[in-house]
Amino acid sequence: MMSPRSERLVWELDWNLLRTFVVIAEVKSITRAAERLNLKQPSVSNALRRLEDRIGRRLVERDATRFELTEVGRLLYEQSIEVFGSISQLPLLVRGVSDDVTGHITIAAASHVVSPLYDRALAEFHRNYPRASLTVSIAASTEVTKQVRERRVSFGICLVAQKDPALDYTMMYREFFGFFCGPQHRLYGREGQTLADLKGEPSVSFQTDHISDALRPVALLRSEAKLDANVVGVSSSLEEVRRMIIAGLGIGPLPLHVARRDVADGLLWRLPPYDAPPAIDIFLVVNPEKTMNRAERALLAGLQALIAETPLEERIYGE
């Protein structure tokens, strides 16, 4: 049972203080928080002090050289994100209440998700519910997962390095990565190469191309090939990695099924290894705690049904 003091806190807490605190925690600076909120710095400092007085605990430890949330501050930040995630859904939920499905759907996805199954799900959904609308934002896979966790999006589609126990994951499809170079590269057009031919070559890649991240198999292959350890360029966008490869900045990894047309058009040349390329799984990520409008539920159900009824071998691309 809630104590009288706790009950007073719930009913008397100013929600604007929480909003200000969330911004302070994210930008790690009173000055930058004031700029983002379009407020004067003393107003933001006063809001933080009032919130700490109301909670009865320090939320931030700061001096001239550091700015850190206390343990209570981190807990309050996490809970505040959950609260604002729920509140942000209210306009969409209200808009979606009607005899027809007219709600809005927000999808966060890693760059260049190429899947006939995904395309079919979108086509069938629009055919069945033409008045519903979509927003698809492209972000790094870690950011996609973060937005799903905070209930800022309907669902996400991305690579996964480590699963969050609070989220549900369904493997949508598997893709295989290969190394490629552009027309200006010295290895372009050469047949019969081996992994040893890539030794010491400069490279470009994705931000997740690390042993501990989502592209771990690609990172291991990079190490095996002994590519130059200094990566020339990185991006979370597949299109930008592709651009750097074609421009000749270095060798880079791309999904085989995505690069197939560029290879046919002479813009890319596939390099070894040709056998047993690294496999990467792409996941549908859902927060089971998110309250969805009718449009969100309909699209998610349709996509999940297509995944369930499509055999795994038909969801493996570019092997």
Side-chain angles (χ1 to χ4, degrees):
M1 184 175 180
M2 188 179 296
S3 68
R5 186 174 185 276
S6 298
E7 190 169 354
R8 282 198 306 273
L9 175 63
V10 171
W11 286 103
E12 297 176 7
L13 182 63
D14 184 345
W15 292 92
N16 286 321
L17 297 183
L18 283 182
R19 182 174 70 95
T20 301
F21 175 67
V22 166
V23 176
I24 292 172
E26 289 182 343
V27 302
K28 295 181 173 59
S29 164
I30 298 293
T31 301
R32 289 197 295 273
E35 292 173 352
R36 178 176 293 187
L37 292 166
N38 198 26
L39 297 172
K40 294 187 180 300
Q41 184 172 332
S43 298
V44 176
S45 296
N46 184 51
L48 175 59
R49 185 167 54 253
R50 286 170 56 201
L51 182 59
E52 288 180 327
D53 289 344
R54 176 61 66 183
I55 298 295
R57 302 285 291 276
R58 286 189 64 82
L59 302 175
V60 174
E61 297 288 354
R62 60 192 174 104
D63 54 32
T65 60
R66 70 188 183 104
F67 186 103
E68 296 179 359
L69 296 180
T70 64
E71 184 176 352
V72 174
R74 288 193 295 271
L75 177 62
L76 181 61
Y77 171 72
E78 292 172 359
Q79 293 302 312
S80 298
I81 287 296
E82 294 282 338
V83 169
F84 286 113
S86 298
I87 293 174
S88 67
Q89 298 175 55
L90 290 177
L92 301 180
L93 291 173
V94 172
R95 192 190 315 170
V97 176
S98 66
D99 292 335
D100 194 8
V101 175
T102 58
H104 188 74
I105 300 163
T106 54
I107 302 171
S111 71
H112 221 82
V113 171
V114 177
S115 166
L117 183 147
Y118 179 39
D119 296 344
R120 179 182 165 191
L122 290 178
E124 291 182 357
F125 173 78
H126 180 65
R127 185 165 57 249
N128 293 331
Y129 310 106
R131 296 184 60 196
S133 57
L134 288 167
T135 295
V136 181
S137 61
I138 304 302
S141 290
T142 52
E143 176 61 21
V144 170
T145 302
K146 182 173 183 287
Q147 291 183 28
V148 175
R149 179 69 174 81
E150 296 172 359
R151 293 181 284 184
R152 288 191 281 152
V153 296
S154 308
F155 56 82
I157 301 174
C158 63
L159 289 71
V160 175
Q162 185 173 0
K163 293 183 178 179
D164 185 331
L167 305 179
D168 292 338
Y169 296 84
T170 304
M171 197 270 270
M172 276 186 62
Y173 66 91
R174 178 170 297 158
E175 60 187 9
F176 292 85
F177 273 71
F179 286 135
F180 296 87
C181 67
Q184 301 178 55
H185 198 277
R186 70 177 188 86
L187 297 179
Y188 183 90
R190 288 175 51 180
E191 302 280 358
Q193 300 176 75
T194 67
L195 206 59
D197 293 314
L198 309 188
K199 183 178 180 180
E201 287 292 330
S203 63
V204 300
S205 196
F206 296 88
Q207 291 176 339
T208 50
D209 181 357
H210 295 287
I211 297 296
S212 61
D213 216 325
L215 285 179
R216 172 183 169 84
V218 174
L220 291 172
L221 184 59
R222 173 190 299 282
S223 176
E224 183 183 350
K226 295 183 173 58
L227 295 176
D228 192 319
N230 297 315
V231 180
V232 175
V234 297
S235 176
S236 62
S237 165
L238 186 146
E239 287 78 8
E240 294 308 314
V241 173
R242 169 186 176 273
R243 186 196 309 278
M244 290 187 284
I245 297 172
I246 293 174
L249 274 66
I251 290 169
L254 292 171
L256 298 181
H257 72 298
V258 174
R260 186 176 294 122
R261 179 174 295 180
D262 282 334
V263 171
D265 291 343
L267 294 174
L268 293 172
W269 181 263
R270 187 180 173 189
L271 299 168
Y274 306 113
D275 300 321
I280 302 294
D281 290 343
I282 307 299
F283 288 86
L284 170 66
V285 186
V286 177
N287 189 333
E289 297 299 319
K290 175 176 168 53
T291 303
M292 294 192 176
N293 62 36
R294 293 171 64 195
E296 291 174 312
R297 292 197 300 270
L299 177 55
L300 180 59
L303 182 54
Q304 289 173 328
L306 282 177
I307 294 172
E309 70 188 34
T310 305
L312 176 59
E313 57 269 22
E314 296 180 21
R315 292 185 279 122
I316 296 178
Y317 308 141
E319 191 175 12

